[in-house]
């Protein structure tokens, strides 16, 4: 019986070791963003239209001559009714287009004045204020909020792989 116990203990001691690769990764990161200002402007052109019934064109109207860099302007038309006492309709419309704006300039990242055209979309830039982020040697992070239009993201990732 002693031989069996001794043999069992010897066999247990002969088990093969486990071979496993263990990988452990840790990563800390901080992303700080300040939104930039922007402006998108679309220049509108001049239009002139006229429509009617039972009328006669006496003096033609229309867009005035184009002067580079300025709006066009228009001249109204003169009309008279064809058949007095009969129904008539008349419509004349004019939309003044945008003059060509002066070029915008950027100085130290700032546009002093933005063009105001027929269609303009302007967004304000962010203000960094006290926006900050730090990671110390132990991987601990600290994120401080900034002003309007800022984003601060802190992230810690840990990965454990056993093959």
């Amino acid at each position: 019986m002693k031989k069996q116990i001794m043999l069992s203990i010897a066999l247990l001691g002969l088990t093969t070791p486990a071979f496993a690769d263990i990988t452990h990764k840790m990563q800390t990161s901080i992303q700080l963003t300040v939104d930039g200002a922007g402006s998108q402007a679309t220049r509108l052109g001049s239009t002139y239209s006229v429509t009617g019934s039972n009328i006669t064109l006496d003096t033609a109207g229309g867009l005035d001559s184009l002067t580079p860099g300025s709006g066009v302007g228009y001249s109204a038309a003169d009309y008279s009714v064809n058949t007095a006492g009969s129904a008539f309709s008349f419509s004349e419309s004019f939309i003044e287009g945008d003059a060509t704006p002066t070029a915008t300039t950027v100085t130290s990242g700032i546009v002093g004045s933005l063009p105001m055209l027929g269609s303009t979309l302007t967004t304000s830039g962010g203000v960094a204020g006290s926006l900050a982020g730090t990671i110390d040697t132990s991987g601990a992070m600290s994120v401080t909020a900034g002003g309007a239009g800022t984003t601060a993201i802190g992230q810690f990732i840990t990965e454990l792989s056993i093959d």
Side-chain angles (χ1 to χ4, degrees), residues 7-137:
L7 182 59
S8 297
I9 291 173
L11 288 175
L12 285 174
L14 294 176
T15 59
T16 59
F19 293 102
D21 291 331
I22 297 175
T23 305
H24 185 212
K25 296 178 185 177
M26 293 184 287
Q27 178 182 355
T28 304
S29 65
I30 294 177
Q31 177 181 336
L32 305 174
T33 307
V34 179
D35 294 342
S39 181
Q40 179 179 346
T42 303
R43 187 173 172 217
L44 298 180
S46 298
T47 62
Y48 174 81
S49 67
V50 63
T51 184
S53 62
N54 193 26
I55 58 169
T56 300
L57 174 63
D58 295 331
T59 304
L63 297 175
D64 290 340
S65 62
L66 176 63
T67 303
S70 66
V72 175
Y74 85 106
S75 299
D78 290 324
Y79 299 90
S80 56
V81 175
N82 283 338
T83 307
S86 294
F88 71 95
S89 66
F90 173 74
S91 174
E92 182 178 46
S93 67
F94 168 71
I95 297 174
E96 176 71 38
D98 297 315
T100 303
T102 58
T104 56
T105 57
V106 178
T107 305
S108 299
I110 298 171
V111 177
S113 62
L114 298 171
M116 293 301 295
L117 298 175
S119 174
T120 304
L121 171 66
T122 302
T123 57
S124 176
V127 178
S130 57
L131 180 66
T134 58
I135 302 171
D136 67 21
T137 56

